[in-house]
């Protein structure tokens, strides 16, 4: 009798539900808690009209363990026959309609899955992979359904590979003070991939977008111009991508110069790849002397590096006007460098200058997205790459969507 009262309290059961019996099954390492009720009239879950019990359905729910014993709730749940909605199993307070887990258990499972891989969570919780996946899918579905349309002033758009082959996904994130959340995951990296995001927003939301950081990727630019009012002044080609292009240009110059020098028996550029990619201020102390020596040699690579470093300073300008002038000077230097990879990046920047200079007005970058990208990379690693796009989406929303995932208590 005591354990009945105990479980009645632990479960927080209120009338008409009550614990009928508690049975310890040592072999299964399981505690079975039978729950019954004292009520003859039950509400149809569709229309809430109360009616007499028509039949019963015996159901089981996995609940939070009690002292390492798997704990299972069992109850004969009333079925009513509603004139309007037919046979309906009535709602129980501890679990959702078709769920095989109590809400508290689902909550725990969500917490565990947020911390570790699905496999790891299965082991800790003693549930199957499909069950864990089901809990995760329901959580995301619930979270997405609870979202209310809001204005998102600062957005970041980027593409992301799924870790297998050439499957890309388009990701839109909202950068808010202190938190960046994924708002959209679309298939591919075409114009339509992003169109679907804009088309899902209301006119007020589209008008409320103030700045969108993205790479100079034409399909994204086109899609944004087609949907967001005043987009021409809101698209920001962000420093992260642009500096990355400059770094790649430096690396290309280094590679071909190294090949050339090596053919003449000169190994000066050997194993220097990373050195040139550091920002001037970040070159590790142990490499500083060697780097200074190489830099002083009249190498193409050191010229490319200098042009890259000056380009990094461009982002420190305090107004768009100053930045425009700075860019002009940098451009004429870069274009006379006789370094093809560098010239190519310089021309590309010039073509997109209008939406590069928007940075100095909005001060918005894809920086917040970089953190997300690392987190997504972690998910890809944990999942050993994603072959299934739907699963990739679910995982991103589960971990990075900022959603309210828990079932309502
Ligand atoms: Zn009904």
């Amino acid at each position: 009798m005591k354990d009945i009262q105990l479980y009645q309290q632990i479960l927080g059961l209120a009338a008409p539900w009550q614990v009928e019996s508690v049975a310890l099954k040592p072999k299964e390492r399981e505690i079975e808690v039978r729950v019954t009720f004292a009520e003859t009239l039950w509400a149809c879950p569709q229309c809430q009209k109360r009616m007499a019990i028509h039949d019963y359905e015996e159901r089981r729910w996995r609940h939070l363990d009690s002292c390492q014993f798997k704990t299972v709730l069992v109850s004969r749940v009333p079925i009513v026959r509603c004139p309007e909605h037919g046979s309906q199993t009535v709602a129980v307070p501890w679990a959702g309609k078709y769920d095989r887990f109590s809400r508290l258990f689902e909550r725990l499972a969500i917490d565990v899955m947020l911390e570790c891989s699905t496999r790891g969570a299965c082991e800790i919780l003693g549930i199957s992979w499909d069950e864990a996946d089901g809990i995760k899918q329901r959580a995301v579905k619930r979270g997405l359904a609870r979202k209310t349309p809001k204005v998102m002033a600062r957005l970041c758009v980027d593409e992301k590979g799924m870790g297998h082959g050439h499957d890309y996904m388009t990701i839109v994130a909202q950068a808010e003070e202190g938190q960046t959340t994924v708002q959209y995951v679309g298939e591919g990296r075409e114009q339509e991939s992003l169109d679907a995001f804009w088309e899902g927003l209301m006119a007020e939301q589209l008008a409320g977008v103030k700045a969108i950081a993205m790479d100079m990727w034409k399909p994204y630019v086109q899609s944004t111009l087609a949907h967001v009012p005043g987009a021409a002044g809101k698209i920001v080609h962000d420093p992260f991508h642009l500096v990355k292009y400059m770094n790649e240009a430096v690396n290309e110059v280094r590679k071909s110069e190294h090949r050339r020098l090596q053919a003449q028996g000169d190994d000066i550029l050997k194993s220097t790849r990373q050195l040139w990619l550091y920002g001037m201020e970040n070159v590790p102390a142990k490499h500083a002397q060697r780097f200074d020596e190489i830099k002083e040699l009249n190498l193409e690579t050191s010229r490319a590096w200098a042009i890259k470093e000056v380009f990094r300073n461009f982002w420190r300008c305090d107004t768009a006007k100053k930045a425009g002038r700075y860019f002009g000077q940098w451009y004429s230097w870069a274009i006379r460098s006789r370094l093809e990879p560098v010239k190519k990046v310089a021309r590309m920047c010039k073509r997109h200058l209008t939406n590069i200079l928007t940075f100095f007005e909005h001060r918005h970058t894809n920086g917040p997205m970089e953190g997300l990208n690392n987190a997504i990379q972690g998910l890809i690693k944990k999942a050993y790459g994603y072959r299934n796009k739907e699963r990739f989406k679910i995982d991103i929303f589960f971990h990075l969507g900022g959603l309210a995932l828990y079932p309502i208590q």
Side-chain angles (χ1 to χ4, degrees), residues 18-36:
Q18 62 200 50
V19 173
E20 185 183 26
S21 65
V22 178
L24 175 65
K25 301 176 162 180
K27 234 173 53 206
E28 292 96 335
R29 292 192 63 77
E30 198 175 286
I31 292 172
E32 190 181 271
V33 183
R34 279 211 154 256
V35 179
T36 183

Side-chain angles (χ1 to χ4, degrees), residues 44-49 51 82-85 88:
C44 159
Q46 302 287 330
C47 62
Q48 309 307 325
K49 262 187 221 127
M51 51 200 86
C82 173
E84 200 178 328
H85 301 102
Q88 297 275 338

